[in-house]
Each structure stands twice: as structure tokens, then as C-alpha cells.
């Protein structure tokens, strides 16, 4: 090895100086001992020999053991050649195993020895200046000062959670700043007692408190042989009591039956082409059954629960509206289907580069709006629920008659709604029950619009003694995971119904069951309200439950 003497010179550069040896020599990095120095042959020849030996004896042994198995010879009976082959196999394996680690181990040991004997000398440099974290950056420590900063606009209200790192404190400061900016008090709006961390980035932005809505229980609702206590969050008097009376009538008549007709969430983007001809080309491509399997694979990559079920297209000039329908498991599924649609649009861009995506939603879905497409095609869960109420129950519990109910339903829910030009509103008050259950179980309240599409039918049966009642609801949009379902109060209501979270064995079962419970509750509510109107009890009951006799002036003072 070549060891050269060179005088060490002081350096003004920011470099690491190699320490001199005791004799004044510096050992170059190229002269450090290597693992191959101990071998009698060059390293590449040694490696080649052991590699060849390892694979040769492995092949020999496998070939010999195969012959022994064919000839029924015991494997433990070894010949001299087989014993030698096993020894060579072990030796070559040990060498190859050591070869991959010896250089690393030896270099690590050598480095440690050099650092211990001769610690390196560094030119001292100032430490780098690291950026400060976002939390508490230029933020006063006193709450009063933070409030003043929010009021003056120095600190944006929406950034309080990220800067403070405390969601409750952020809501408290935002609340105080709001009162000072508006000059109006929010006293009476609760602040404490709510988990603000649970809504961050999920349910509500810039909170200043929470609204209390009482939750009542209607039931038991006997549906498909099972009993359910239905939570309803509402501020309307009579609603829970009326639904509860309907549940009583259904229970006394043997229960209701509910059938799921369809389960498919939809999303419909709008794309534009330079001509109507090109738009029709894509329409035919998407609706061709031969292309469906390919599109399904692309769509289903968005989630392990997303399953594309169908594609329906409508054209308006050179604009194409594509309505995707898919299963979404126990989630309501809007985000899931949107991701799948985006995957398909990206895929189609390769074959249709002139396609201009105007929007991921073109209102052909249709979400949070009354639309005939949801009334006809369905969206979310499509269900039908029925029950036969005996004449005795109609008389004793509902305080009316079968004939009066049938006539009122025809003139009010069917003919009256037609005169009004109703769209999916052929019912008495389905939205009342749907909204109350939605709020209690953490659903999107705005989706009450299409979820309340309902037609209520009543018909006299068994020679006019009993009445057959049914509700058909084509677009109940519910989920048991995601969104508001994860909040503690709403999660407790879902747990009461036995549909909390995702179903482990059968994904989608919990959300489908929740949809049937909604429909069964609507059936109970329709039955009771129609009976109250028929018997002339509506005004009397609302005056009793919707009008308080308490002296509000004394409470206010």
C-alpha cells in the first residue's frame, strides 16, 4: 500500500481537515484495508467460484433428491458425494452471506476507530436558521390581544385553529371577536360541552358554538320482524307524538314490510365538444356494453367499496351529461363516486383529447334539488314499505275509518299534489320525518330534498274492513360512516338503531337498513297525520303541543 508523506497546511475554507498520523503522515482513503486483502485470489475470481459452487451443488442435490423420491429411497441416506455436496453448499452459502455484509461491517469498524483515535476538526460555522412552525407564529400570548388582532383583521378568523393548536380556544376567541365586530350578543348559544376537534376539517368551519336540538324517540317500530326505537331531532311539536302513534298502529296490526329496490349513488359531470357529432361518439362509447368492464375497472380504483353499476347519457347540443351510478358500501358516497368519475374522465381524455370537462357535476345527478331524474331513476336507496292496518286499529288507535282515509289520500296526496304540480311530493309530510331522522343520525340535511320524494298509497282491502298503506321512496340518501355520523351524539343515535359504522361482514348492510327504517318511520308518520286530518284533530293537537302556555315575559325578565 502506498503511504505518502505530505505536510498539512492550514486552510481557511470550510472543509474537513484530515488529522495527521503520529509520524506526520496522512493515510489516503484509497489505501485503507479491504476485505479482499485477506483472500489468496482476486475478489471477482473468488466470488465467481463460490457462486458457481453454490448453484451447482444445489442443482445436484435437488436432482438426487428427486430420484430418491421416485425410487422411494429415504432422503436421510446419503452417499459420499451427496455429503460432500451438502458441505460445499453450506460453505458457499456462508461465504456469500458474509460477502454482502463484510465490507459494511469492516468499514463501519474502521470509521469508528479513526473517529475515536483522531476526532475530526471542523471549521465552526453558524447553525442554519430553521423556519418557525405555523402554530403560535407571531401570536400574542394573551387571549385579549388575540381577540383584538382578529377584530382588526391582523389575524384571519379561519386560521385560529391552525395557529393556536386548540380548537376550543379558537372557537372561544372567534366567538368573542364576532360579538365585538357585530355589536350583538350570542348569549344563549352554548360553547362548552362540545368536541370541536371532531368537526375540524370535516363538518363545520369557524365554529362559535353549537345549537341544541331535542331528540325524541318514536316506537317501537315493528319492521321486517324487528323492533326499532327511532331517534328524531326536531323542534316541531306533535311530530314525534304523531309518528309514535303511527308506530303503535303498525305494531298492533302485525308490523310493516320494507323492501330495498335499488342502491346506487350518482354523479353526472358535463363535458363539451366542438360538435354534437363528437359528443354522440362519446355517448355511444360510454353506453356500449363492450366497454363497460373497462370503465368499471377504472372507476372502481377510487375505493374498495365503489362499484360502478351503470352509465346513462343525455345530450344538449354539443354538451354531454354523463350520469354514473355506483354502489358505495355503508357511506352515503358523494366523495367516493366523485373520485371514481374523475378517474374515468382522466381515462377518457386519452381517446377523446378534444373533450373539455366543464364541471364534475352538471346537475344531471341531481343532488340537493328536486329533479324528475331522481323521482324516476332513483338515487341512493330506493325502497317501498307497506303495512295492512286492521279496521279495529284504525278505529281505536287512529280514531277514524278506512273509507275516510282512502278518500282523503286520493284527494289530498294524489289529486291535490297533481293540481299543485308537485314533483315527488305525493305525500302528507314525508320531509318532516326524514329531516328529523337525518339530523339525529348525522346525515346531510340538505339531501332531505330528494330523500323526501315519496308517494303514499292507501287502499281498502279484505272487503273494505282493513286498509293497505304504502310509501314508495326512490331516493333516500343515507350513510352510516363519514360526515356527521362520526360525531358523538349522532353516533349514539345510530348505535341505538344498531347501524353504527360500517358492517364488517356485508358492506352496505347498515346504510341499507337505515334507509328502510327511514321509510318505515315515514309510513308511520303518514298514517298518523292523515288520520288526524281525517278526524279533524290536526288543529286541536297543534294548538295543544305547538303553543306554550308559559309566560315568556317573566322568563325573559
Amino acid at each position: 500500500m502506498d503511504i505518502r508523506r505530505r505536510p498539512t497546511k492550514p486552510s481557511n475554507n470550510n472543509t474537513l481537515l484530515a488529522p495527521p498520523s503520529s509520524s506526520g503522515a496522512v493515510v489516503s482513503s484509497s489505501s485503507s484495508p479491504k476485505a479482499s486483502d485477506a483472500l489468496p485470489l482476486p475478489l471477482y475470481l473468488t466470488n465467481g467460484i463460490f457462486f458457481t459452487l453454490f448453484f451447482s451443488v444445489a442443482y445436484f442435490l435437488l436432482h438426487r433428491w428427486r430420484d430418491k423420491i421416485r425410487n422411494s429411497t429415504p432422503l436421510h441416506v446419503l452417499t459420499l458425494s451427496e455429503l460432500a455436496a451438502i458441505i460445499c453448499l453450506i460453505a458457499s452459502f456462508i461465504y456469500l452471506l458474509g460477502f454482502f455484509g463484510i465490507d459494511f461491517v469492516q468499514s463501519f469498524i474502521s470509521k469508528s476507530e479513526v473517529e475515536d483515535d483522531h476526532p475530526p476538526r471542523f471549521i465552526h460555522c453558524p447553525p442554519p436558521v430553521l423556519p418557525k412552525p405555523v402554530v403560535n407564529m407571531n401570536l400574542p400570548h394573551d387571549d385579549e390581544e388575540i381577540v383584538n388582532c382578529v377584530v382588526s383583521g391582523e389575524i384571519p378568523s379561519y386560521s385560529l385553529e391552525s395557529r393556536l393548536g386548540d380548537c376550543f380556544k379558537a372557537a372561544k376567541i372567534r366567538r368573542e371577536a364576532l360579538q365585538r365586530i357585530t355589536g350583538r350578543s350570542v348569549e344563549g348559544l352554548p360553547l362548552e360541552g362540545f368536541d370541536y376537534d371532531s368537526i375540524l376539517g370535516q363538518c363545520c368551519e369557524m365554529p362559535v358554538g353549537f345549537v341544541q336540538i331535542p331528540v325524541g324517540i318514536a316506537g317501537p317500530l315493528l319492521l321486517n320482524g324487528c323492533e326499532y326505537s327511532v331517534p328524531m331531532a326536531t323542534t316541531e311539536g306533535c311530530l314525534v307524538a304523531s309518528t309514535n302513534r303511527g308506530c303503535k298502529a303498525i305494531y298492533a296490526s302485525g308490523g310493516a314490510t320494507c323492501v330495498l329496490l335499488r342502491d346506487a349513488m350518482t354523479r353526472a359531470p358535463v363535458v363539451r365538444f366542438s360538435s354534437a357529432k363528437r359528443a354522440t361518439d362519446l355517448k355511444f362509447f360510454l353506453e356500449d356494453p363492450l366497454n363497460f368492464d373497462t370503465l368499471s375497472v377504472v372507476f372502481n380504483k377510487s375505493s374498495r367499496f365503489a362499484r360502478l353499476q351503470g352509465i346513462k347519457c343525455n345530450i344538449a347540443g354539443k354538451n354531454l351529461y354523463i350520469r354514473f351510478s355506483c354502489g358505495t358500501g355503508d357511506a352515503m358516497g358523494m366523495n367516493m363516486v366523485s373520485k371514481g368519475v374523475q378517474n374515468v374522465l382522466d381515462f377518457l381524455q386519452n381517446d377523446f383529447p378534444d373533450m373539455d370537462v366543464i364541471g364534475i357535476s352538471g346537475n344531471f345527478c341531481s343532488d340537493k334539488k328536486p329533479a324528475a331524474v331522481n323521482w324516476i331513476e332513483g338515487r341512493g336507496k330506493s325502497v317501498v314499505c307497506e303495512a295492512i292496518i286492521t279496521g279495529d286499529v284504525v278505529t281505536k288507535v287512529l280514531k277514524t275509518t278506512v273509507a275516510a282515509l282512502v278518500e282523503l289520500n286520493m284527494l289530498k296526496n294524489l289529486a291535490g299534489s297533481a293540481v299543485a304540480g308537485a314533483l315527488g311530493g305525493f305525500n302528507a309530510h314525508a320531509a318532516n320525518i326524514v329531516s328529523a331522522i337525518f339530523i339525529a343520525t348525522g346525515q346531510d340535511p340538505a339531501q332531505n330534498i330528494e330523500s323526501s320524494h315519496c308517494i303514499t298509497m292507501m287502499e281498502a282491502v279484505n272487503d273494505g274492513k282493513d286498509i293497505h298503506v304504502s310509501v314508495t321512496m326512490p331516493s333516500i340518501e343515507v350513510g352510516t360512516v363519514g360526515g356527521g355520523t362520526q360525531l358523538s351524539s349522532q353516533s349514539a343515535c345510530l348505535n341505538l338503531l344498531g347501524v353504527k359504522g360500517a358492517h364488517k361482514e356485508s358492506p352496505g348492510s347498515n346504510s341499507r337498513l337505515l334507509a328502510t327504517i327511514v321509510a318505515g318511520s315515514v309510513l308511520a308518520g303518514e298514517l298518523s297525520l292523515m288520520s288526524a286530518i281525517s278526524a279533524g284533530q290536526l288543529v286541536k293537537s297543534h294548538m295543544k303541543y305547538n303553543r306554550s302556555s308559559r309566560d315568556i315575559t317573566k322568563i325573559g325578565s
Side-chain angles (χ1 to χ4, degrees):
M1 295 185 293
D2 180 24
I3 302 179
R4 302 177 181 177
R5 288 186 180 273
R6 350 177 250 194
T8 58
K9 297 181 180 180
S11 174
N12 293 327
N13 298 327
N14 295 341
T15 57
L16 175 63
L17 300 180
S21 64
S22 59
S23 59
V26 176
V27 182
S28 67
S29 59
S30 62
S31 60
S32 59
K34 297 180 180 180
S36 58
D37 294 344
L39 299 176
L41 295 175
L43 183 61
Y44 72 94
L45 289 179
T46 307
N47 289 342
I49 292 173
F50 277 99
F51 267 110
T52 304
L53 181 64
F54 176 80
F55 289 107
S56 299
V57 297
Y59 176 79
F60 171 76
L61 290 173
L62 291 174
H63 183 75
R64 290 290 299 158
W65 288 341
R66 184 188 63 179
D67 292 341
K68 286 186 177 184
I69 293 173
R70 289 179 177 177
N71 300 329
S72 300
T73 304
L75 295 179
H76 64 274
V77 178
L78 302 175
T79 63
L80 185 62
S81 60
E82 293 171 348
L83 183 61
I86 292 175
I87 295 174
C88 292
L89 182 69
I90 296 174
S92 58
F93 178 77
I94 293 174
Y95 170 80
L96 294 175
L97 182 65
F99 169 74
F100 288 107
I102 188 170
D103 277 342
F104 171 76
V105 173
Q106 187 168 358
S107 62
F108 179 78
I109 295 175
S110 301
K111 182 179 178 181
S112 301
E113 291 176 350
V114 170
E115 290 178 352
D116 291 341
D117 294 339
H118 305 284
R121 294 179 299 178
F122 292 91
I123 300 297
H124 294 284
C125 298
V129 179
L130 299 177
K132 296 181 179 180
V134 176
V135 177
N136 293 329
M137 183 173 62
N138 299 326
L139 203 62
H141 295 287
D142 184 60
D143 289 357
E144 180 64 23
E145 295 182 13
I146 300 177
V147 171
N148 292 332
C149 290
V150 174
V151 172
S152 64
E154 183 180 345
I155 298 177
S157 177
Y158 62 81
S159 68
L160 286 174
E161 279 81 3
S162 61
R163 291 198 174 198
L164 293 172
D166 186 336
C167 292
F168 174 75
K169 184 177 180 180
K172 182 178 180 181
I173 290 175
R174 181 182 297 113
R175 177 192 180 100
E176 179 59 30
L178 175 67
Q179 294 184 118
R180 297 186 186 183
I181 292 173
T182 61
R184 297 182 180 275
S185 172
V186 292
E187 183 180 358
L189 180 67
L191 175 67
E192 300 182 356
F194 188 81
D195 183 10
Y196 293 94
D197 290 332
S198 63
I199 65 173
L200 181 63
Q202 176 175 269
C203 296
C204 181
E205 298 76 39
M206 295 186 288
V208 294
F210 61 96
V211 174
Q212 295 171 314
I213 301 179
V215 177
I217 296 295
L221 171 66
L222 183 56
L223 182 67
N224 293 337
C226 299
E227 297 182 9
Y228 301 96
S229 296
V230 184
M232 302 175 65
T234 181
T235 56
E236 180 184 351
C238 296
L239 179 59
V240 178
S242 177
T243 307
N244 188 68
R245 183 174 74 149
C247 291
K248 181 180 179 180
I250 293 173
Y251 196 104
S253 301
T257 302
C258 192
V259 179
L260 185 84
L261 305 175
R262 191 182 182 210
D263 181 7
M265 181 50 64
T266 63
R267 174 59 86 197
V270 53
V271 298
R272 181 172 58 194
F273 288 89
S274 58
S275 66
K277 174 63 171 59
R278 285 294 292 162
T280 57
D281 290 342
L282 179 56
K283 172 182 167 64
F284 295 147
F285 176 85
L286 292 172
E287 294 181 345
D288 188 345
L290 299 178
N291 299 324
F292 184 78
D293 289 342
T294 301
L295 296 174
S296 295
V297 172
V298 176
F299 184 96
N300 296 347
K301 290 191 303 180
S302 62
S303 169
R304 57 195 179 104
F305 297 111
R307 294 295 179 269
L308 183 63
Q309 297 178 359
I311 302 175
K312 180 179 178 62
C313 300
N314 270 10
I315 280 187
K318 59 182 182 179
N319 305 306
L320 181 64
Y321 297 83
I322 313 168
R323 194 171 193 258
F324 292 82
S325 304
C326 78
T328 57
D330 281 307
M332 185 269 289
M334 285 299 301
N335 293 333
M336 191 183 302
V337 66
S338 296
K339 288 170 59 179
V341 168
Q342 188 62 56
N343 289 343
V344 174
L345 293 176
D346 293 340
F347 172 78
L348 293 174
Q349 205 80 55
N350 296 325
D351 294 328
F352 296 87
D354 55 334
M355 178 181 70
D356 185 14
V357 179
I358 303 302
I360 191 69
S361 175
N363 274 7
F364 187 41
C365 314
S366 176
D367 185 45
K368 300 180 177 69
K369 292 166 286 292
V373 67
N374 293 336
W375 176 239
I376 298 171
E377 299 287 341
R379 189 172 193 255
K381 277 71 173 172
S382 302
V383 298
V384 58
C385 187
E386 63 177 351
I388 295 179
I389 310 301
T390 63
D392 291 342
V393 173
V394 172
T395 302
K396 295 178 181 179
V397 178
L398 301 177
K399 310 300 182 181
T400 186
T401 64
V402 171
L405 279 175
V406 172
E407 182 181 28
L408 178 63
N409 185 73
M410 180 185 67
L411 295 178
K412 171 182 167 61
N413 290 341
L414 303 183
S417 296
V419 170
L423 179 59
F426 298 90
N427 58 79
H429 71 149
N432 245 341
I433 291 87
V434 172
S435 296
I437 299 177
F438 270 30
I439 295 173
T441 58
Q443 310 304 314
D444 188 342
Q447 290 185 323
N448 164 70
I449 295 175
E450 60 267 40
S451 296
S452 297
H453 282 345
C454 171
I455 181 169
T456 301
M457 304 291 291
M458 294 186 181
E459 179 183 354
V461 295
N462 300 331
D463 297 326
K465 297 179 181 178
D466 306 326
I467 185 170
H468 178 275
V469 186
S470 68
V471 292
T472 305
M473 306 179 70
S475 53
I476 300 179
E477 299 167 354
V478 292
T480 56
V481 296
T485 65
Q486 301 179 63
L487 302 180
S488 58
S489 300
Q490 289 79 350
S491 180
C493 291
L494 289 171
N495 187 57
L496 177 66
L497 294 171
V499 295
K500 177 182 176 181
H503 197 286
K504 297 181 180 179
E505 288 77 22
S506 178
S509 296
N510 282 348
S511 62
R512 289 192 286 268
L513 177 56
L514 179 57
T516 62
I517 293 173
V518 171
S521 303
V522 168
L523 180 67
E526 290 287 280
L527 186 61
S528 182
L529 177 59
M530 292 293 288
S531 299
I533 296 175
S534 175
Q537 299 172 341
L538 179 64
V539 176
K540 181 180 178 180
S541 61
H542 273 269
M543 290 303 295
K544 178 181 179 181
Y545 291 100
N546 277 13
R547 293 292 183 268
S548 175
S549 60
R550 301 162 65 189
D551 190 345
I552 304 298
T553 58
K554 293 182 179 180
I555 297 176
S557 60

